[in-house]
Amino acid sequence: MTEWTREAMAQRLVRYADLVPCRTAFIDTRTPGSTEKENFTIIGAGVSESADQFVHITEPHGFNVGAARQPEGCVNSQHSHETAEVFVVHSGHWRLIFGPNREDGTLDIAPGDVCSVPTRMFRGFEKLDEGVGFLWVVLGQDDPGKVTWAPAVFESAADFGLKLTKGGTLIDTSDGDYTLREAELEAPLSEDDLAQLRTPPLEKLAECVVRFADVAANPASPLAAPGVEEAGLIVPQPTADGFAPGPISGWWPHGFNLRLLTLQTGAYVPRHSRREVEVIFVHSGTLEVSWDHGEILMGAGDTLTVPVGLPHALRNTASVPCVAYVVRGGEDVARPLFDAG
């Protein structure tokens, strides 16, 4: 059995200040309007096409966690995913843009909002306001597959010497990378293939967004206590810990639950363990996570993966509320096991 020392737990913590960005993660990295975006792979291999992508935590979780950081006006080009893609807005205002040619409408999201974009449809996103914004992103499954790009993305990338192989590896021909001669290149989708990736109506896509202001706590949560609230954000099916499906349940699989945990000043969740993977992302405030051999104080933008079965407690030690997003593995979630007494 692993002894979870301070040093061992520190390996499961990724602080915002320590995130390692990749500026060459995808085929659109040189396309005007996309050159300043940064991609992060926090947990799992992610979907990056670049050998330069740094992976912070490689342990399989049943889902991947990544992030994007972009300045005003920076665009992530039109693409489709084979597994769930969930955006948690940590900072900035963003516009989600739908359709292979950005023709199928938009949805705007703001700090604290959550959006799960359905699989097998084209989406892109743009940072709208001044300054740099940060999206924390959850992708379904250990292997989320590769990105499918809209045909126009290939055309733009080719003008800057970037090619993509069938296996999803980026090749930079402008650097004289002659492995291109030995590689089978990915081709843009045919019209028939494009027809299979239709955008649902915007009113249907609106069901895939939870606004921060509309989040409702679940009083039946086992974590509910004075000063502690837990709300369901993505709940695909009824769970053993007392959550009904919704507000995002989805007509596509997620493979995880997403919750919003709020602790007021001094609020405390007693020692408990979980039967499933638990990843905590602090949106605002501070959160102390303690266990037998120590404690970790998390701040805004930090991500921690808690070992399955580890008894741990949560406390807000600051003078402002703590707001954290929690990913729990699996579509059903068991009740936590609290220490006796």
Side-chain angles (χ1 to χ4, degrees):
M1 180 179 292
T2 302
E3 181 176 313
W4 292 106
T5 63
R6 288 175 181 267
E7 292 75 18
M9 287 293 284
Q11 298 302 308
R12 306 179 70 87
L13 173 68
V14 181
R15 295 203 181 279
Y16 183 84
D18 296 334
L19 284 168
V20 178
C22 182
R23 297 286 291 269
T24 58
F26 297 110
I27 193 171
D28 66 338
T29 188
R30 290 186 184 146
T31 303
S34 299
T35 57
E36 294 182 85
K37 66 178 181 177
E38 297 176 309
N39 187 75
F40 304 90
T41 301
I42 301 173
I43 296 174
V47 291
S48 175
E49 297 159 351
S50 173
D52 296 332
Q53 183 73 62
F54 180 80
V55 179
H56 286 269
I57 297 173
T58 59
E59 175 189 324
H61 279 59
F63 53 84
N64 283 237
V65 175
R69 189 164 60 196
Q70 299 175 196
E72 179 184 9
C74 189
V75 174
N76 195 300
S77 302
Q78 300 307 103
H79 64 282
S80 174
H81 283 275
E82 295 298 311
T83 71
E85 182 180 42
V86 175
F87 298 105
V88 176
V89 184
H90 179 55
S91 60
H93 289 75
W94 301 76
R95 176 161 294 157
L96 300 173
I97 308 160
F98 305 118
N101 296 301
R102 301 164 58 99
E103 74 275 34
D104 290 339
T106 64
L107 283 173
D108 290 355
I109 49 178
D113 292 350
V114 169
C115 180
S116 179
V117 183
T119 57
R120 297 186 57 77
M121 60 163 286
F122 285 105
R123 84 295 308 269
F125 49 91
E126 179 180 358
K127 173 66 167 46
L128 295 177
D129 52 350
E130 292 184 2
V132 174
F134 187 78
L135 292 173
W136 196 74
V137 183
V138 187
L139 298 174
Q141 302 183 22
D142 284 324
D143 179 5
K146 62 181 182 178
V147 170
T148 298
W149 295 100
V153 178
F154 285 96
E155 296 170 11
S156 297
D159 291 340
F160 298 93
L162 295 179
K163 304 285 187 178
L164 190 65
T165 71
K166 283 281 189 184
T169 300
L170 195 59
I171 294 178
D172 185 355
T173 62
S174 67
D175 281 347
D177 190 340
Y178 293 105
T179 57
L180 179 62
R181 295 177 179 174
E182 305 168 3
E184 184 180 2
L185 294 181
E186 187 69 72
L189 294 180
S190 67
E191 289 298 324
D192 287 344
D193 290 334
L194 279 173
Q196 302 302 311
L197 303 179
R198 290 193 180 94
T199 306
L202 274 182
E203 58 268 23
K204 189 70 173 174
L205 289 174
E207 299 174 8
C208 305
V209 179
V210 182
R211 304 293 178 187
F212 185 72
D214 297 333
V215 171
N218 177 11
S221 166
L223 302 186
V228 179
E229 294 182 337
E230 185 180 23
L233 300 173
I234 297 175
V235 183
Q237 65 181 58
T239 64
D241 68 339
F243 283 76
I248 299 174
S249 53
W251 58 89
W252 65 101
H254 282 82
F256 55 85
N257 275 240
L258 181 65
R259 310 283 178 81
L260 184 69
L261 187 63
T262 305
L263 288 82
Q264 301 300 321
T265 299
Y268 177 72
V269 177
R271 271 174 53 114
H272 63 285
S273 60
R274 314 279 329 192
R275 296 180 177 90
E276 61 280 317
V277 172
E278 177 181 52
V279 174
I280 302 171
F281 172 73
V282 175
H283 176 60
S284 61
T286 59
L287 181 67
E288 180 190 78
V289 182
S290 60
W291 68 103
D292 277 346
H293 298 290
E295 66 283 322
I296 284 173
L297 190 64
M298 300 176 65
D302 294 349
T303 301
L304 174 70
T305 173
V306 180
V308 174
L310 176 69
H312 62 287
L314 308 173
R315 186 190 299 272
N316 179 5
T317 59
S319 59
V320 296
C322 171
V323 177
Y325 293 84
V326 182
V327 186
R328 304 201 191 285
E331 300 215 340
D332 190 4
V333 174
R335 292 184 67 83
L337 301 174
F338 286 94
D339 285 5

